[in-house]
Amino acid sequence: MIDDEYLLAALRIAAGHDPVPAHVSAAARDTFALRLAQADTAAPAESVATRDTRNADGPRLVRFATQDFSFDLEVTIGDGLIDLAGRVTPHPGDGATIDIRTPHLTVSRDLPSTGQFAATGLPPGWFSVVCHRPGFTPVATRWVRIRP
């Protein structure tokens, strides 16, 4: 049986008399601003080479892949901060750059011929890595949450 207070609250929401709190609306706008509408998305993928090497004290190894690229990321947590090292394979070409994104900051790196990149001292939370290639759409990993 439905509780009367629950029913009344649902009716108020449906009638538009229970506005969304301002901080929720602001968070939704901030999140929407982070989207890359025309980017290809790299989905999580299993890596045979790193599957059995994880342990509670060592770095976390994560792979994201599309048909054309893979992102291998190594996440190390120390003193409450995140160090992120990675590699894009195969190399996407001259002039490629990498953005390591959080909801509050973006760290950009030129991508050397090795395809390797790193950023240290990042705050814990949500991350996405984006590869920008001249003349092509960007390729972005899904957002992943990293906690200490």
Side-chain angles (χ1 to χ4, degrees), residues 26 39-40 52 58 73 81 84 88 132 142:
D40 293 331
D52 297 327
L73 306 177
L81 296 175
L84 183 70
V88 178
H132 298 277
R142 290 186 181 171

Side-chain angles (χ1 to χ4, degrees), residues 125-148:
W126 292 96
F127 288 86
S128 175
V129 177
V130 181
C131 179
H132 298 277
R133 308 167 292 160
F136 296 95
T137 58
V139 177
T141 67
R142 290 186 181 171
W143 285 89
V144 61
R145 189 172 184 186
I146 301 171
R147 299 181 222 189

Side-chain angles (χ1 to χ4, degrees), residues 71 87-88 92 96-100 106-112 115-118 129-132 139:
F71 294 81
R87 183 174 185 184
V88 178
T97 60
I98 288 289
D99 289 342
I100 301 165
T106 298
V107 176
S108 297
R109 302 280 188 254
D110 291 332
L111 196 61
Q116 296 174 322
F117 59 92
V129 177
V130 181
C131 179
H132 298 277
V139 177

